[in-house]
Amino acid sequence: MADAEIGLIGLGVMGSNLALNIAEKGNRIAVFNRTASKTHEFHQDAGSLRDRIVPCDTIKALAAAIRPPRPVIIMVQAGAAVDEQIAHLRGVLSANDIMIDAGNANFRDTMRRFGELEGSGLTFIGMGVSGGEEGARHGPSIMVGGAEASWKRVEKVLTAIAAKYEGEPCAAWLGPDGAGHFVKTIHNGIEYADMQMIAEIYGILRDGLGMAPKEIGQVFARWNEGRLDSYLIEITARVLEADDPETGKPMVDMILDRAGQKGTGKWSVIEAQQLGVPATTIEAAVAARVLSSLKDERVAAQAVYGGGVAPFPGGRDEVLADLELALFAGKVAAYAQGFAVMAEASRAFGWNLPLPTIAKIWRAGCIIRSQFLGTLAKAFSGGPVANLLMTPAFVRMMQEANPALRRIVARSAEAGLPVPALSSALGYFDSYRLGRGTSNLIQAQRDFFGAHGFERIDSSGAHHGPWGSGAA
Ligand code: 6PG
């Protein structure tokens, strides 16, 4: 009987949690997994939700179980596996049915898939889902890209399962085709920047101030009560307070300093570059992960150059106050960059991305959820602005916070502590607020070796310099 509200393919960690969340909100859901035994195990283990779950052994049975027009969530590994499932679904779905890719897809793949489905009568949604396992089960942040009519078909289910911020669901239709997956990519770029800056501050507390993990955890826990209140600061405090059950030592001290990545951070940097939007803090965060993976080279380099760190100057209370503000200022720069990338992408792809809505649906459910995003949503709701740094609320906050960022970056440099993301945030801010920069010299150099021409400050049109012999 075709009475399921929605279908789902892929009962991995994210897929099964999403399916349970959907069922818990009162919906019947048809589920399919490549390995049939997994489908039945999932059904058996669903407890009181079992009656709302329709286990299907074939994709055909899955399609037959859903009320038309049939929405089917595909929650498999991004890439070829998604194309494979689309190919299978094309054989069993019919006009107006909706395939929903809920994985961390590259938005360019999503755009391609929209193109490939054109004229088939089938529709597609590229859906960014953030919040990890816990979010999928109890309320993720959901970023939807596709036709508005497709959104209307699934809006009720998706808003029901999404996280709520003061009662408002953190799910929204953001624009056509690749809009949802693009926004999720930028979310992850910002996530990388937030995490890297937190790690840099941890480095200063550990190596510059000589603090123990638990002490550092308490600092983060305290900061979580103030302007830095966010999920990532909260989990940082908890991570730092945990002990390794095997050795009894602080867990964080037993973890190898080599960070992994699956590609979304890198994609956000590639797209920022393609769009010509500076996203230096996000770039620095992605590069820092790559550098972290060069463990053997770093160990060898320490033997050559010494890894010595000079004591961090300043009294502890004063430094702690500065670190909190510096992290906040760095965060402002990173979010300014991420939102500037989305604003430009919106223009370039004709998406009309609602920036205040994006900030709103990131206030809960997703990995970068924070009090800060509430402030940011308000700052953007006054109408289009060139950059977050130019909204009155953030002008005030950056005026207060940037001197601390400057002191922390300067003192870290002197002490020999790497702060690539924080210093790039400062460099971005300082370059952005400099009315007369230094590119006049670059223009002169370009004209010298390539006769590229330059604009003058006192007249319009292209000009050349009096470079003499050796010039182009
Ligand atoms: C989220 C996360 C998630 C991402 C992980 C791992 O929003 O829930 O962004 O989608 O997969 O954070 O990403 P990396 O392996 O690239 O760190």
Side-chain angles (χ1 to χ4, degrees):
M1 202 171 51
D3 65 352
E5 189 55 28
I6 196 162
L8 184 141
I9 294 178
L11 290 169
V13 174
M14 289 298 282
S16 45
N17 280 298
L18 214 53
L20 291 173
N21 188 356
I22 291 172
E24 192 179 64
K25 300 300 171 317
N27 303 290
R28 268 178 83 70
I29 177 165
V31 296
F32 168 81
N33 196 74
R34 213 166 33 175
T35 327
S37 56
K38 195 160 182 181
T39 309
H40 291 283
E41 249 166 59
F42 171 74
H43 182 229
Q44 281 308 313
D45 295 347
S48 60
L49 300 174
R50 204 178 305 154
D51 291 350
R52 298 198 194 126
I53 293 168
V54 187
C56 303
D57 287 346
T58 62
I59 291 219
K60 198 166 171 210
L62 178 94
I66 311 165
R67 170 176 80 80
R70 295 171 285 199
V72 180
I73 295 176
I74 304 170
M75 198 43 140
V76 297
Q77 202 181 357
V82 176
D83 289 307
E84 209 179 291
Q85 294 309 327
I86 291 174
H88 291 149
L89 281 168
R90 285 185 78 151
V92 295
L93 295 182
S94 43
N96 300 320
D97 288 348
I98 311 159
M99 296 184 247
I100 305 170
D101 177 10
N104 263 337
N106 185 317
F107 88 104
R108 291 190 182 274
D109 282 338
T110 307
M111 304 281 263
R112 168 178 60 75
R113 289 170 184 141
F114 268 96
E116 287 167 359
L117 286 172
E118 219 161 88
S120 70
L122 296 173
T123 54
F124 197 67
I125 280 180
M127 182 167 103
V129 179
S130 177
E133 188 179 337
E134 184 68 13
R137 179 66 183 86
H138 298 294
S141 170
I142 298 178
M143 298 147 248
V144 172
E148 203 174 357
S150 314
W151 162 245
K152 288 286 166 214
R153 169 68 180 88
V154 290
E155 182 176 1
K156 208 167 140 240
V157 178
L158 296 182
T159 49
I161 64 163
K164 306 289 178 302
Y165 182 88
E166 292 175 358
E168 279 183 65
C170 292
W173 174 69
L174 301 175
D177 48 68
H181 276 145
F182 186 89
V183 170
K184 175 65 185 12
T185 299
I186 300 305
H187 166 283
N188 280 29
I190 294 174
E191 173 186 306
Y192 273 52
D194 266 340
M195 291 167 74
Q196 174 62 25
M197 289 188 289
I198 292 172
E200 290 173 11
I201 298 283
Y202 154 70
I204 296 170
L205 294 167
R206 184 188 70 181
D207 301 331
L209 271 64
M211 289 168 70
K214 285 200 174 53
E215 261 184 300
I216 303 175
Q218 282 156 14
V219 170
F220 278 105
R222 202 168 60 242
W223 288 348
N224 199 39
E225 308 283 304
R227 69 181 85 209
L228 291 172
D229 173 6
S230 60
Y231 173 70
L232 282 170
I233 294 286
E234 181 198 326
I235 66 162
T236 302
R238 288 177 56 186
V239 161
L240 286 159
E241 283 163 14
D243 286 327
D244 173 23
E246 283 178 36
T247 60
K249 291 185 179 155
M251 190 67 241
V252 73
D253 286 349
M254 301 306 296
I255 299 176
L256 198 61
D257 56 331
R258 193 154 63 185
Q261 54 179 318
K262 292 197 202 74
T264 44
K266 181 174 73 182
W267 295 342
S268 68
V269 169
I270 291 171
E271 296 308 331
Q273 291 280 4
Q274 292 278 11
L275 291 161
V277 180
T280 54
T281 308
I282 299 172
E283 283 168 23
V286 175
R289 279 209 198 179
V290 179
L291 242 156
S292 84
S293 70
L294 308 177
K295 175 76 177 174
D296 296 345
E297 280 183 55
R298 288 189 288 113
V299 170
Q302 177 165 345
V304 173
Y305 290 105
V309 171
F312 205 77
R316 180 182 279 209
D317 288 349
E318 173 211 343
V319 173
L320 287 181
D322 264 2
L323 286 171
E324 183 182 8
L325 269 180
L327 184 50
F328 184 81
K331 200 171 166 78
V332 175
Y335 282 67
Q337 294 166 16
F339 275 82
V341 175
M342 289 192 288
E344 186 51 32
S346 181
R347 271 190 291 276
F349 296 104
W351 285 333
N352 208 10
L353 290 178
L355 299 186
T357 303
I358 293 170
K360 280 185 176 174
I361 63 170
W362 286 353
R363 289 177 303 180
C366 67
I367 302 294
I368 63 170
R369 61 186 181 258
S370 64
Q371 176 195 298
F372 178 87
L373 277 159
T375 317
L376 196 150
K378 281 196 200 109
F380 274 132
S381 58
V385 278
N387 188 294
L388 183 65
L389 288 171
M390 294 305 284
T391 59
F394 280 88
V395 168
R396 275 194 305 279
M397 288 186 267
M398 270 311 256
Q399 277 167 340
E400 185 197 351
N402 91 81
L405 177 61
R406 193 172 307 288
R407 282 192 292 272
I408 291 301
V409 169
R411 289 175 182 183
S412 299
E414 280 189 29
L417 284 160
V419 284
L422 287 168
S423 58
S424 73
L426 180 64
Y428 175 78
F429 173 69
D430 279 344
S431 306
Y432 189 75
R433 70 183 180 93
L434 195 60
R436 168 87 173 146
T438 55
S439 298
N440 46 327
L441 182 63
I442 289 171
Q443 285 298 78
Q445 291 163 336
R446 291 176 69 242
D447 189 52
F448 188 104
F449 63 66
H452 293 293
F454 51 76
E455 294 170 296
R456 291 181 62 96
I457 59 169
D458 55 0
S459 65
S460 57
H463 297 268
H464 294 286
W467 312 128
S469 67

